Coordinates of all heavy atoms in Angstrom, one line a residue:
M1 N 4.4 20.1 -8.3 CA 3.0 20.4 -8.0 C 2.3 19.1 -7.6 O 2.6 18.1 -8.1 CB 2.3 21.0 -9.3 CG 0.8 21.1 -9.1 SD 0.0 21.9 -10.5 CE 0.4 23.6 -10.2
L2 N 1.5 19.3 -6.6 CA 0.7 18.2 -6.1 C -0.8 18.5 -6.3 O -1.2 19.6 -6.0 CB 0.9 18.0 -4.5 CG 0.0 17.0 -3.8 CD1 0.2 15.6 -4.3 CD2 0.2 17.1 -2.3
E3 N -1.5 17.6 -6.9 CA -2.9 17.7 -7.0 C -3.7 16.6 -6.3 O -3.4 15.4 -6.5 CB -3.4 17.7 -8.5 CG -4.9 17.9 -8.6 CD -5.5 18.0 -10.0 OE1 -4.7 17.9 -11.0 OE2 -6.7 18.3 -10.2
L4 N -4.6 17.0 -5.5 CA -5.5 16.1 -4.7 C -6.7 15.9 -5.6 O -7.4 16.8 -5.9 CB -5.8 16.7 -3.4 CG -4.6 17.2 -2.6 CD1 -5.1 17.7 -1.2 CD2 -3.5 16.1 -2.4
G5 N -7.0 14.6 -5.8 CA -8.2 14.3 -6.7 C -7.9 14.7 -8.1 O -8.6 15.4 -8.8
C6 N -6.8 14.2 -8.6 CA -6.2 14.6 -9.9 C -7.0 14.0 -11.1 O -6.8 14.5 -12.3 CB -4.7 14.2 -10.0 SG -4.4 12.5 -10.1
G7 N -7.8 13.0 -10.9 CA -8.5 12.4 -12.0 C -7.5 11.9 -13.1 O -6.5 11.3 -12.7
N8 N -7.7 12.2 -14.3 CA -6.8 11.8 -15.4 C -5.6 12.7 -15.6 O -4.8 12.5 -16.5 CB -7.6 11.6 -16.7 CG -8.1 13.0 -17.3 OD1 -7.7 14.0 -16.8 ND2 -8.9 12.9 -18.3
G9 N -5.5 13.7 -14.7 CA -4.3 14.5 -14.7 C -4.4 15.7 -15.6 O -3.3 16.4 -15.8
N10 N -5.6 16.1 -16.0 CA -5.7 17.2 -17.0 C -5.2 18.5 -16.5 O -4.6 19.3 -17.2 CB -7.1 17.3 -17.5 CG -8.1 17.6 -16.4 OD1 -8.3 16.7 -15.5 ND2 -8.8 18.7 -16.3
N11 N -5.3 18.7 -15.2 CA -4.8 20.0 -14.6 C -3.3 20.0 -14.5 O -2.6 21.0 -14.5 CB -5.4 20.2 -13.2 CG -6.9 20.5 -13.3 OD1 -7.4 21.2 -14.2 ND2 -7.7 19.9 -12.4
L12 N -2.7 18.8 -14.3 CA -1.3 18.7 -14.1 C -0.5 18.7 -15.4 O 0.7 19.1 -15.4 CB -0.9 17.4 -13.3 CG -1.4 17.3 -11.9 CD1 -1.1 15.9 -11.3 CD2 -0.6 18.4 -11.0
L13 N -1.1 18.3 -16.4 CA -0.4 18.1 -17.7 C 0.3 19.4 -18.2 O 1.5 19.3 -18.6 CB -1.4 17.5 -18.8 CG -0.7 17.0 -20.0 CD1 0.4 15.9 -19.7 CD2 -1.7 16.4 -21.0
P14 N -0.4 20.5 -18.2 CA 0.4 21.7 -18.7 C 1.6 22.0 -17.9 O 2.6 22.4 -18.5 CB -0.7 22.9 -18.6 CG -2.0 22.2 -18.5 CD -1.7 20.9 -17.8
F15 N 1.6 21.8 -16.6 CA 2.7 22.0 -15.8 C 3.8 21.0 -16.1 O 5.0 21.4 -16.2 CB 2.3 22.0 -14.3 CG 1.4 23.1 -13.9 CD1 0.1 23.0 -14.0 CD2 2.0 24.3 -13.5 CE1 -0.8 24.1 -13.7 CE2 1.1 25.4 -13.1 CZ -0.2 25.3 -13.3
A16 N 3.5 19.8 -16.3 CA 4.4 18.7 -16.6 C 5.1 19.1 -17.9 O 6.3 18.9 -18.1 CB 3.8 17.4 -16.7
E17 N 4.3 19.6 -18.9 CA 4.9 20.0 -20.2 C 5.9 21.1 -20.1 O 6.7 21.3 -20.9 CB 3.7 20.3 -21.1 CG 3.0 19.1 -21.6 CD 1.7 19.4 -22.4 OE1 1.3 20.5 -22.4 OE2 1.3 18.4 -23.1
F18 N 5.7 21.9 -19.0 CA 6.7 23.0 -18.7 C 7.8 22.6 -17.8 O 8.6 23.4 -17.3 CB 6.0 24.2 -18.2 CG 5.4 25.1 -19.2 CD1 4.1 25.0 -19.6 CD2 6.2 26.1 -19.9 CE1 3.5 25.8 -20.6 CE2 5.6 26.9 -20.9 CZ 4.3 26.8 -21.2
G19 N 7.9 21.3 -17.6 CA 9.0 20.7 -16.9 C 8.9 20.6 -15.4 O 9.8 20.2 -14.7
W20 N 7.7 20.9 -14.8 CA 7.5 20.7 -13.4 C 7.4 19.2 -13.0 O 6.9 18.4 -13.8 CB 6.1 21.3 -13.0 CG 6.1 22.8 -13.0 CD1 6.5 23.7 -14.0 CD2 5.5 23.7 -12.0 NE1 6.3 25.0 -13.6 CE2 5.7 25.0 -12.4 CE3 4.9 23.4 -10.8 CZ2 5.2 26.1 -11.7 CZ3 4.5 24.5 -10.0 CH2 4.6 25.8 -10.5
D21 N 7.8 18.9 -11.8 CA 7.6 17.5 -11.3 C 6.2 17.5 -10.7 O 5.8 18.5 -10.0 CB 8.5 17.2 -10.1 CG 10.0 17.1 -10.6 OD1 10.2 16.6 -11.8 OD2 10.9 17.5 -9.9
V22 N 5.4 16.5 -11.1 CA 4.0 16.5 -10.7 C 3.6 15.2 -10.0 O 4.1 14.2 -10.4 CB 3.0 16.8 -11.9 CG1 3.3 18.1 -12.5 CG2 3.2 15.7 -12.9
T23 N 2.8 15.4 -9.0 CA 2.3 14.2 -8.3 C 0.8 14.4 -8.2 O 0.2 15.4 -7.9 CB 2.8 14.2 -6.8 OG1 4.2 14.1 -6.9 CG2 2.3 13.0 -6.0
G24 N 0.1 13.3 -8.4 CA -1.4 13.3 -8.3 C -1.9 12.2 -7.5 O -1.4 11.1 -7.5
L25 N -2.9 12.5 -6.6 CA -3.5 11.5 -5.8 C -5.0 11.4 -6.2 O -5.6 12.4 -6.5 CB -3.5 11.9 -4.3 CG -2.2 12.3 -3.7 CD1 -2.4 12.7 -2.2 CD2 -1.2 11.2 -3.8
D26 N -5.5 10.2 -6.2 CA -6.9 10.0 -6.6 C -7.4 8.6 -6.1 O -6.6 7.7 -6.0 CB -7.1 10.1 -8.1 CG -8.6 10.5 -8.4 OD1 -9.5 9.6 -8.4 OD2 -8.8 11.7 -8.7
I27 N -8.7 8.6 -5.8 CA -9.2 7.3 -5.3 C -9.5 6.3 -6.5 O -9.7 5.1 -6.3 CB -10.5 7.6 -4.5 CG1 -10.9 6.4 -3.7 CG2 -11.7 8.0 -5.5 CD1 -12.0 6.7 -2.7
S28 N -9.6 6.9 -7.7 CA -10.0 6.1 -8.8 C -8.8 5.5 -9.6 O -8.0 6.2 -10.2 CB -10.8 6.9 -9.8 OG -10.9 6.3 -11.1
G29 N -8.7 4.2 -9.5 CA -7.6 3.5 -10.2 C -7.7 3.6 -11.7 O -6.7 3.7 -12.4
E30 N -9.0 3.7 -12.1 CA -9.2 3.8 -13.6 C -8.7 5.2 -14.1 O -8.0 5.3 -15.1 CB -10.7 3.7 -13.9 CG -11.0 3.5 -15.3 CD -12.5 3.2 -15.5 OE1 -13.2 2.9 -14.5 OE2 -12.9 3.4 -16.7
A31 N -9.0 6.3 -13.3 CA -8.6 7.6 -13.7 C -7.1 7.7 -13.6 O -6.4 8.3 -14.5 CB -9.2 8.7 -12.8
L32 N -6.5 7.1 -12.6 CA -5.0 7.1 -12.5 C -4.3 6.4 -13.7 O -3.3 6.8 -14.1 CB -4.6 6.6 -11.2 CG -5.0 7.4 -10.0 CD1 -4.7 6.7 -8.7 CD2 -4.2 8.8 -10.0
A33 N -5.0 5.3 -14.1 CA -4.4 4.5 -15.2 C -4.4 5.4 -16.5 O -3.5 5.5 -17.3 CB -5.2 3.3 -15.5
D34 N -5.5 6.2 -16.6 CA -5.6 7.2 -17.7 C -4.5 8.2 -17.6 O -3.8 8.6 -18.6 CB -6.9 7.9 -17.8 CG -8.1 6.9 -18.2 OD1 -7.8 5.9 -18.8 OD2 -9.2 7.3 -17.9
A35 N -4.3 8.7 -16.4 CA -3.2 9.7 -16.1 C -1.8 9.1 -16.5 O -1.1 9.8 -17.2 CB -3.2 10.2 -14.7
R36 N -1.6 7.9 -16.1 CA -0.3 7.3 -16.4 C -0.1 7.2 -17.9 O 1.0 7.4 -18.4 CB -0.1 6.0 -15.6 CG 0.0 6.2 -14.1 CD 0.3 4.8 -13.4 NE 0.1 5.0 -12.0 CZ -0.9 4.6 -11.3 NH1 -1.9 3.9 -11.9 NH2 -1.0 4.8 -10.0
H37 N -1.2 6.8 -18.5 CA -1.1 6.7 -20.0 C -0.8 8.1 -20.6 O 0.1 8.2 -21.5 CB -2.4 6.1 -20.5 CG -2.5 6.1 -22.0 ND1 -1.9 5.2 -22.8 CD2 -3.1 7.0 -22.9 CE1 -2.1 5.4 -24.1 NE2 -2.9 6.5 -24.1
N38 N -1.6 9.1 -20.2 CA -1.4 10.4 -20.7 C -0.1 11.0 -20.5 O 0.5 11.8 -21.3 CB -2.5 11.4 -20.1 CG -3.9 11.0 -20.6 OD1 -4.1 10.4 -21.6 ND2 -4.9 11.5 -19.8
F39 N 0.5 10.7 -19.3 CA 1.8 11.3 -19.0 C 3.0 10.5 -19.5 O 4.2 10.9 -19.4 CB 1.9 11.5 -17.5 CG 1.2 12.7 -17.0 CD1 -0.2 12.8 -17.0 CD2 1.8 13.8 -16.5 CE1 -0.9 13.9 -16.6 CE2 1.1 15.0 -16.1 CZ -0.3 15.0 -16.1
D40 N 2.7 9.3 -20.0 CA 3.8 8.5 -20.6 C 5.0 8.4 -19.7 O 6.1 8.6 -20.2 CB 4.1 9.1 -22.0 CG 4.8 8.1 -22.9 OD1 4.7 6.9 -22.6 OD2 5.5 8.5 -23.8
G41 N 4.8 8.0 -18.5 CA 6.0 7.8 -17.6 C 6.5 8.9 -16.8 O 7.3 8.8 -15.9
I42 N 6.0 10.1 -17.1 CA 6.3 11.3 -16.3 C 5.3 11.4 -15.1 O 4.2 11.0 -15.2 CB 6.2 12.6 -17.2 CG1 7.2 12.5 -18.3 CG2 6.5 13.8 -16.3 CD1 7.1 13.6 -19.3
G43 N 5.8 11.9 -14.0 CA 4.9 12.2 -12.9 C 4.7 10.9 -12.0 O 5.1 9.8 -12.3
S44 N 4.1 11.2 -10.9 CA 3.8 10.2 -9.9 C 2.3 10.2 -9.6 O 1.8 11.2 -9.2 CB 4.7 10.4 -8.6 OG 4.3 9.5 -7.6
F45 N 1.7 9.0 -9.7 CA 0.2 9.0 -9.5 C -0.1 7.9 -8.5 O 0.3 6.7 -8.7 CB -0.5 8.8 -10.9 CG -0.3 9.9 -11.8 CD1 0.7 9.9 -12.8 CD2 -1.1 11.1 -11.7 CE1 0.9 11.0 -13.6 CE2 -0.9 12.1 -12.5 CZ 0.1 12.1 -13.5
I46 N -0.7 8.3 -7.5 CA -0.9 7.4 -6.3 C -2.4 7.2 -6.0 O -3.1 8.2 -5.8 CB -0.2 8.0 -5.1 CG1 1.3 8.3 -5.4 CG2 -0.3 7.1 -3.8 CD1 2.0 9.2 -4.4
E47 N -2.8 6.0 -5.9 CA -4.2 5.7 -5.5 C -4.4 5.8 -4.0 O -3.7 5.2 -3.3 CB -4.6 4.3 -6.1 CG -6.1 4.0 -5.9 CD -6.4 2.7 -6.6 OE1 -5.7 2.3 -7.5 OE2 -7.5 2.1 -6.2
C48 N -5.4 6.6 -3.6 CA -5.7 6.7 -2.2 C -7.0 7.3 -2.0 O -7.6 8.0 -2.8 CB -4.6 7.5 -1.4 SG -4.8 9.3 -1.7
D49 N -7.6 7.0 -0.8 CA -8.8 7.7 -0.4 C -8.4 8.8 0.6 O -8.0 8.6 1.7 CB -9.7 6.7 0.4 CG -11.0 7.3 0.9 OD1 -11.2 8.5 0.7 OD2 -11.8 6.6 1.5
L50 N -8.5 10.0 0.1 CA -8.1 11.2 0.9 C -8.9 11.4 2.2 O -8.6 12.1 3.1 CB -8.1 12.5 0.0 CG -7.0 12.6 -1.0 CD1 -7.3 13.6 -2.1 CD2 -5.7 12.9 -0.3
A51 N -10.1 10.7 2.2 CA -10.9 10.8 3.4 C -10.2 10.0 4.6 O -10.5 10.2 5.7 CB -12.3 10.2 3.2
A52 N -9.2 9.2 4.2 CA -8.6 8.3 5.2 C -7.1 8.3 5.2 O -6.4 7.9 6.2 CB -9.1 6.9 5.1
D53 N -6.5 8.8 4.1 CA -5.1 8.6 3.9 C -4.5 9.8 3.2 O -5.2 10.5 2.4 CB -4.9 7.3 3.1 CG -3.5 6.8 3.2 OD1 -2.7 7.3 4.1 OD2 -3.1 5.9 2.4
F54 N -3.2 10.0 3.3 CA -2.5 11.1 2.6 C -1.1 10.6 2.4 O -0.1 10.9 3.1 CB -2.4 12.4 3.5 CG -2.2 13.6 2.7 CD1 -3.2 14.4 2.2 CD2 -0.9 14.0 2.3 CE1 -3.0 15.6 1.5 CE2 -0.6 15.1 1.6 CZ -1.7 15.9 1.2
P55 N -0.9 9.7 1.4 CA 0.3 9.0 1.2 C 1.4 9.7 0.5 O 2.0 9.3 -0.5 CB -0.1 7.8 0.4 CG -1.2 8.3 -0.5 CD -1.9 9.3 0.4
V56 N 1.8 10.9 1.0 CA 2.9 11.7 0.5 C 3.8 11.9 1.7 O 3.4 12.4 2.7 CB 2.4 13.1 0.0 CG1 3.6 13.9 -0.5 CG2 1.4 12.9 -1.2
P57 N 5.1 11.6 1.6 CA 6.0 11.8 2.7 C 6.0 13.2 3.2 O 5.9 14.1 2.5 CB 7.4 11.4 2.1 CG 7.1 10.5 1.0 CD 5.8 11.0 0.4
Q58 N 6.1 13.3 4.6 CA 6.0 14.7 5.2 C 7.2 15.5 4.8 O 7.1 16.8 4.9 CB 6.0 14.5 6.7 CG 4.6 14.2 7.2 CD 4.4 14.6 8.6 OE1 5.0 15.5 9.1 NE2 3.5 13.8 9.3
D59 N 8.3 14.9 4.4 CA 9.5 15.7 4.0 C 9.5 16.1 2.6 O 10.4 16.8 2.1 CB 10.8 15.0 4.4 CG 10.9 13.7 3.7 OD1 10.0 13.3 3.0 OD2 12.0 13.1 3.8
E60 N 8.4 15.8 1.8 CA 8.3 16.3 0.5 C 7.7 17.7 0.5 O 6.7 17.9 1.1 CB 7.4 15.4 -0.4 CG 8.2 14.4 -1.2 CD 7.4 13.7 -2.3 OE1 6.9 14.3 -3.2 OE2 7.3 12.4 -2.2
A61 N 8.3 18.6 -0.2 CA 7.8 20.0 -0.2 C 7.4 20.4 -1.6 O 8.1 20.1 -2.6 CB 8.9 20.9 0.3
F62 N 6.3 21.1 -1.7 CA 5.7 21.4 -3.0 C 5.7 22.9 -3.2 O 5.4 23.7 -2.3 CB 4.3 20.8 -3.2 CG 4.3 19.3 -3.2 CD1 4.3 18.5 -2.1 CD2 4.4 18.6 -4.4 CE1 4.3 17.2 -2.1 CE2 4.5 17.2 -4.5 CZ 4.4 16.5 -3.3
D63 N 5.9 23.3 -4.5 CA 5.7 24.8 -4.8 C 4.3 25.1 -5.0 O 3.9 26.3 -4.8 CB 6.5 25.1 -6.1 CG 8.0 24.9 -6.0 OD1 8.5 25.5 -5.1 OD2 8.5 24.2 -6.8
A64 N 3.5 24.1 -5.3 CA 2.1 24.4 -5.5 C 1.3 23.1 -5.1 O 1.7 22.0 -5.5 CB 1.8 24.8 -6.9
I65 N 0.2 23.3 -4.4 CA -0.8 22.2 -4.1 C -2.2 22.7 -4.6 O -2.6 23.8 -4.2 CB -0.8 21.9 -2.6 CG1 0.6 21.4 -2.2 CG2 -1.8 20.8 -2.4 CD1 0.7 21.1 -0.7
I66 N -2.8 21.9 -5.4 CA -4.1 22.3 -5.9 C -5.1 21.2 -5.6 O -4.8 20.0 -5.5 CB -4.1 22.6 -7.4 CG1 -3.7 21.4 -8.2 CG2 -3.2 23.7 -7.7 CD1 -3.9 21.5 -9.7
L67 N -6.4 21.6 -5.3 CA -7.4 20.6 -5.1 C -8.7 21.1 -5.7 O -9.7 21.3 -5.0 CB -7.6 20.3 -3.6 CG -7.7 21.4 -2.5 CD1 -8.4 20.8 -1.3 CD2 -6.4 21.9 -2.2
P68 N -8.7 21.2 -7.0 CA -9.9 21.7 -7.7 C -11.0 20.6 -7.8 O -10.7 19.5 -8.2 CB -9.4 22.1 -9.1 CG -8.2 21.3 -9.3 CD -7.6 21.0 -7.9
N69 N -12.2 21.0 -7.5 CA -13.3 20.1 -7.7 C -13.2 18.8 -6.9 O -13.6 17.7 -7.4 CB -13.5 19.8 -9.2 CG -13.5 21.0 -10.1 OD1 -14.2 22.0 -9.8 ND2 -12.7 21.1 -11.1
I70 N -12.7 18.8 -5.7 CA -12.6 17.6 -4.9 C -13.1 17.8 -3.5 O -13.6 16.9 -2.9 CB -11.1 17.2 -4.9 CG1 -10.8 16.1 -3.8 CG2 -10.2 18.3 -4.6 CD1 -11.2 14.8 -4.2
I71 N -13.2 19.0 -3.0 CA -13.4 19.2 -1.5 C -14.8 18.7 -1.2 O -15.0 18.2 0.0 CB -13.2 20.6 -1.0 CG1 -14.1 21.6 -1.6 CG2 -11.7 21.0 -1.2 CD1 -13.9 23.0 -1.0
Y72 N -15.7 18.8 -2.1 CA -17.1 18.4 -1.7 C -17.2 16.8 -1.6 O -18.3 16.3 -1.2 CB -18.1 18.9 -2.7 CG -17.7 18.9 -4.2 CD1 -17.8 17.8 -4.9 CD2 -17.3 20.1 -4.7 CE1 -17.4 17.8 -6.3 CE2 -16.9 20.2 -6.1 CZ -17.0 19.0 -6.8 OH -16.6 19.0 -8.1
Y73 N -16.2 16.1 -2.0 CA -16.2 14.7 -1.8 C -15.8 14.3 -0.4 O -15.9 13.1 0.0 CB -15.3 14.0 -2.8 CG -15.8 14.0 -4.2 CD1 -15.3 14.9 -5.1 CD2 -16.8 13.2 -4.6 CE1 -15.7 14.9 -6.5 CE2 -17.3 13.2 -5.9 CZ -16.7 14.1 -6.8 OH -17.2 14.1 -8.1
L74 N -15.2 15.2 0.4 CA -14.6 14.8 1.6 C -15.4 15.3 2.8 O -15.9 16.5 2.8 CB -13.2 15.5 1.7 CG -12.2 15.1 0.7 CD1 -10.9 15.9 0.8 CD2 -11.9 13.6 0.7
P75 N -15.7 14.4 3.8 CA -16.3 14.9 5.0 C -15.5 16.0 5.7 O -14.3 16.0 5.5 CB -16.3 13.6 5.9 CG -16.1 12.5 4.9 CD -15.3 13.0 3.8
R76 N -16.2 16.8 6.4 CA -15.6 18.0 7.0 C -14.3 17.7 7.8 O -13.3 18.3 7.6 CB -16.6 18.7 7.9 CG -16.0 19.9 8.6 CD -17.0 20.6 9.5 NE -16.4 21.6 10.3 CZ -15.9 22.8 10.0 NH1 -16.1 23.2 8.7 NH2 -15.3 23.6 10.8
Q77 N -14.3 16.7 8.7 CA -13.1 16.4 9.5 C -12.0 15.9 8.6 O -10.8 16.3 8.9 CB -13.5 15.4 10.6 CG -14.3 15.9 11.7 CD -13.8 17.2 12.3 OE1 -12.6 17.3 12.5 NE2 -14.7 18.2 12.5
S78 N -12.3 15.1 7.6 CA -11.3 14.7 6.7 C -10.7 15.9 5.9 O -9.5 15.9 5.7 CB -11.8 13.7 5.7 OG -12.3 12.6 6.4
F79 N -11.5 16.8 5.5 CA -11.1 17.9 4.8 C -10.1 18.8 5.6 O -9.0 19.2 5.2 CB -12.2 18.8 4.3 CG -11.8 20.0 3.6 CD1 -11.0 20.0 2.5 CD2 -12.3 21.3 4.0 CE1 -10.6 21.1 1.8 CE2 -11.9 22.4 3.4 CZ -11.1 22.4 2.3
L80 N -10.5 19.0 6.9 CA -9.6 19.7 7.8 C -8.2 19.0 8.0 O -7.2 19.7 8.0 CB -10.3 19.9 9.1 CG -11.5 20.8 9.1 CD1 -12.2 20.8 10.4 CD2 -11.2 22.2 8.6
R81 N -8.3 17.7 8.1 CA -7.0 17.0 8.2 C -6.2 17.1 6.9 O -5.0 17.3 6.9 CB -7.3 15.5 8.4 CG -6.1 14.6 8.6 CD -6.4 13.1 8.7 NE -7.3 12.7 7.7 CZ -7.0 12.4 6.4 NH1 -5.8 12.6 6.0 NH2 -8.0 12.0 5.6
V82 N -6.9 17.1 5.7 CA -6.2 17.2 4.5 C -5.5 18.6 4.4 O -4.4 18.7 4.0 CB -7.2 17.0 3.3 CG1 -6.6 17.6 2.0 CG2 -7.5 15.6 3.1
L83 N -6.2 19.6 4.9 CA -5.6 21.0 4.9 C -4.3 21.0 5.7 O -3.3 21.6 5.4 CB -6.6 22.0 5.4 CG -7.8 22.3 4.5 CD1 -8.7 23.3 5.2 CD2 -7.3 22.8 3.1
R84 N -4.4 20.3 6.9 CA -3.2 20.3 7.7 C -2.0 19.5 7.1 O -0.9 19.9 7.1 CB -3.5 19.6 9.1 CG -4.3 20.5 10.0 CD -4.4 20.0 11.4 NE -5.2 18.8 11.5 CZ -6.5 18.7 11.7 NH1 -7.2 19.8 11.8 NH2 -7.1 17.5 11.7
E85 N -2.4 18.4 6.4 CA -1.4 17.7 5.7 C -0.7 18.5 4.6 O 0.5 18.5 4.3 CB -2.0 16.4 5.1 CG -2.6 15.4 6.1 CD -1.5 14.7 6.9 OE1 -0.3 15.0 6.8 OE2 -1.9 13.8 7.7
C86 N -1.6 19.3 3.9 CA -1.1 20.2 2.8 C -0.1 21.2 3.4 O 1.0 21.5 2.9 CB -2.2 20.9 2.1 SG -3.2 19.8 1.1
R87 N -0.5 21.8 4.5 CA 0.4 22.9 5.1 C 1.7 22.3 5.4 O 2.8 23.0 5.2 CB -0.3 23.4 6.4 CG 0.5 24.6 7.0 CD -0.3 25.3 8.1 NE -0.8 24.4 9.1 CZ -1.6 24.7 10.0 NH1 -2.2 25.9 10.0 NH2 -2.0 23.8 10.9
R88 N 1.8 21.1 5.9 CA 3.1 20.5 6.3 C 4.0 20.3 5.0 O 5.2 20.2 5.2 CB 2.9 19.1 6.9 CG 2.3 19.1 8.2 CD 2.4 17.7 8.9 NE 1.7 17.7 10.1 CZ 0.5 17.1 10.4 NH1 -0.1 16.5 9.4 NH2 -0.1 17.2 11.5
R89 N 3.4 20.3 3.9 CA 4.1 19.9 2.7 C 4.3 21.1 1.7 O 4.8 21.0 0.6 CB 3.5 18.8 1.9 CG 3.6 17.5 2.7 CD 2.6 16.4 2.3 NE 2.7 15.2 3.0 CZ 2.1 14.9 4.2 NH1 1.4 15.9 4.8 NH2 2.3 13.8 4.8
M90 N 3.9 22.3 2.1 CA 4.0 23.5 1.3 C 5.3 24.2 1.5 O 5.8 24.3 2.7 CB 2.9 24.5 1.7 CG 1.5 24.2 1.2 SD 1.3 24.3 -0.6 CE 1.7 26.0 -0.8
R91 N 6.0 24.6 0.4 CA 7.1 25.5 0.6 C 6.6 26.8 1.1 O 5.5 27.2 0.9 CB 7.8 25.7 -0.8 CG 8.4 24.4 -1.3 CD 9.8 24.7 -1.9 NE 10.5 23.4 -2.0 CZ 10.6 22.7 -3.1 NH1 10.0 23.1 -4.2 NH2 11.3 21.5 -3.1
P92 N 7.5 27.5 1.8 CA 7.0 28.8 2.5 C 6.4 29.7 1.5 O 5.5 30.4 1.8 CB 8.3 29.3 3.1 CG 9.2 28.2 3.3 CD 8.9 27.2 2.2
D93 N 6.9 29.8 0.3 CA 6.4 30.7 -0.7 C 5.5 30.0 -1.7 O 5.3 30.5 -2.8 CB 7.5 31.5 -1.5 CG 8.5 30.5 -2.1 OD1 8.4 29.3 -1.8 OD2 9.3 30.9 -2.9
G94 N 5.0 28.8 -1.3 CA 4.2 28.0 -2.2 C 2.8 28.6 -2.5 O 2.3 29.5 -1.8
C95 N 2.2 28.0 -3.5 CA 0.9 28.5 -3.9 C -0.1 27.4 -3.6 O 0.1 26.2 -3.9 CB 0.9 28.7 -5.4 SG -0.7 29.0 -6.1
F96 N -1.3 27.7 -3.0 CA -2.3 26.8 -2.6 C -3.6 27.2 -3.3 O -4.0 28.3 -3.2 CB -2.5 26.8 -1.1 CG -3.5 25.8 -0.6 CD1 -3.1 24.4 -0.6 CD2 -4.7 26.1 -0.2 CE1 -4.0 23.5 -0.1 CE2 -5.6 25.2 0.3 CZ -5.3 23.9 0.3
F97 N -4.2 26.3 -4.1 CA -5.4 26.7 -4.9 C -6.4 25.6 -4.8 O -6.1 24.4 -5.1 CB -5.0 26.9 -6.3 CG -6.2 27.2 -7.2 CD1 -6.8 28.4 -7.2 CD2 -6.7 26.2 -8.0 CE1 -7.9 28.7 -8.0 CE2 -7.8 26.4 -8.9 CZ -8.4 27.7 -8.8
Ligands
SAM1 C1 -14.8 16.2 -10.3 S1 -13.3 15.2 -10.4 C2 -12.1 16.5 -10.5 C3 -10.9 16.0 -11.2 C4 -9.8 17.1 -11.4 N1 -9.3 17.6 -10.1 C5 -10.3 18.3 -12.2 O1 -10.5 19.4 -11.7 O2 -10.5 18.1 -13.4 C6 -13.1 14.7 -8.7 C7 -12.0 13.7 -8.5 O3 -11.8 13.4 -7.2 C8 -11.6 12.1 -7.0 N2 -12.1 11.7 -5.6 C9 -13.3 11.7 -5.1 N3 -13.3 11.3 -3.8 C10 -12.0 11.1 -3.5 C11 -11.3 10.7 -2.3 N4 -12.0 10.4 -1.2 N5 -10.0 10.5 -2.3 C12 -9.3 10.8 -3.5 N6 -9.9 11.2 -4.6 C13 -11.2 11.3 -4.7 C14 -12.5 11.4 -8.1 O4 -12.0 10.1 -8.4 C15 -12.3 12.4 -9.2 O5 -11.2 12.0 -10.0

């Protein structure tokens, strides 16, 4: 599962506890430090500004991509680019929320 704007990882944690591989992107180094602490070495947490960057390799494919409570932080053009980046990384039967 990939979460955009994952904050401290609270949305990803239940999935990680069920054994999913999780990746979180966020602009806040402090929130990501909390996430890394909470996940105790599990998961991948990457600092980035989604308005300008999407640092996930294009050949990585996700079963689920979520972006709860983040889209209003992104300018429209950046948001549209983020949607395209997500589509490239979704498994065909993946879930987008
Ligand atoms: C309201 S919180 C939501 C956190 C989490 N998704 C949730 O639902 O609990 C918004 C998150 O988006 C992050 N954020 C805001 N602007 C961002 C940007 N341009 N790029 C990446 N993350 C951003 C914030 O640092 C924050 O962690």
